[in-house]
Amino acid sequence: MKTFYALLIAALFTTAACNKKKDEVKTEASKTDPAAKTTEPPPPAEPPKAEPPPAEPPKAEPAAPAAPAVTVDQAGAKVNEFTDKLVKASKDAGADCAKLGTALKALTEDAKALAAQEKEIEKDAAKKKEFETKFEKAAEAKTKEPMKKIEKCMTNADVKAFIEVLGS
């Protein structure tokens, strides 16, 4: 997964560098073109009026029970399921970046859950080592081709958003 995330983050930085260059070009244009000058922001709105305090303070809700710790095998199963979805989305999209973006957008919630799971696994060095040994290389091998397609489609907003979720 480290390589997977490293590739995703590298793609993210590449995209950010391209966007920075575009911003520099816009800035240069605004210096030479008087019509491109920025406008002043509007004055701040009047602060909202304070509401009277409620008659009775809201009752505290009971704390949600802590989620059970994820096992390495559970984490591996989720990674395998996610990589299978990623591979299928990549194959189904072919060379169409718009289709890939739409498919990846549908996988965003899974990616968020996977990132949270990875953080949980990394808290325990023994679990982290076991996970890397059992599942990481297989996941990297599965995602090699989809990552190439994702890198080619980084101009698509949905693809870019997906990469940003994985990098977080």
Side-chain angles (χ1 to χ4, degrees):
M1 284 308 290
K2 285 183 183 178
T3 304
F4 179 67
Y5 287 124
L7 288 171
L8 294 175
I9 290 171
L12 176 66
F13 285 132
T14 303
T15 304
C18 290
N19 287 340
K20 183 177 180 185
K21 186 68 175 174
K22 287 179 186 175
D23 290 342
E24 289 174 1
V25 169
K26 287 179 186 175
T27 304
E28 288 298 319
S30 67
K31 288 180 183 176
T32 58
D33 184 10
K37 290 185 179 179
T38 59
T39 60
E40 300 259 343
E46 209 175 285
K49 296 180 181 179
E51 294 182 22
E56 185 179 312
K59 295 179 182 179
E61 294 182 24
V70 85
T71 67
V72 172
D73 290 333
Q74 289 170 333
K78 288 181 182 179
V79 166
N80 285 334
E81 179 183 330
F82 179 77
T83 55
D84 289 344
K85 289 179 182 178
L86 187 63
V87 168
K88 182 177 180 344
S90 173
K91 284 182 181 178
D92 290 349
D96 187 345
C97 290
K99 281 185 180 180
L100 181 61
T102 302
L104 293 180
K105 187 174 184 179
L107 294 176
T108 301
E109 289 304 314
D110 290 344
K112 287 178 184 177
L114 197 63
Q117 171 187 285
E118 182 181 8
K119 288 177 184 175
E120 182 68 29
I121 290 288
E122 289 191 0
K123 289 179 183 178
D124 184 343
K127 281 185 175 181
K128 181 179 175 183
K129 179 81 172 159
E130 182 182 354
F131 180 83
E132 288 173 355
T133 303
K134 286 184 172 181
F135 302 105
E136 197 167 288
K137 289 181 182 178
E140 287 174 13
K142 279 184 184 179
T143 58
K144 197 173 198 174
E145 287 302 314
M147 288 309 300
K148 288 178 183 178
K149 287 184 181 180
I150 289 172
E151 286 177 28
K152 289 179 183 177
C153 293
M154 283 300 291
T155 56
N156 181 283
D158 291 332
V159 173
K160 186 176 177 181
F162 178 78
I163 294 298
E164 289 172 357
V165 166
L166 285 178
S168 63

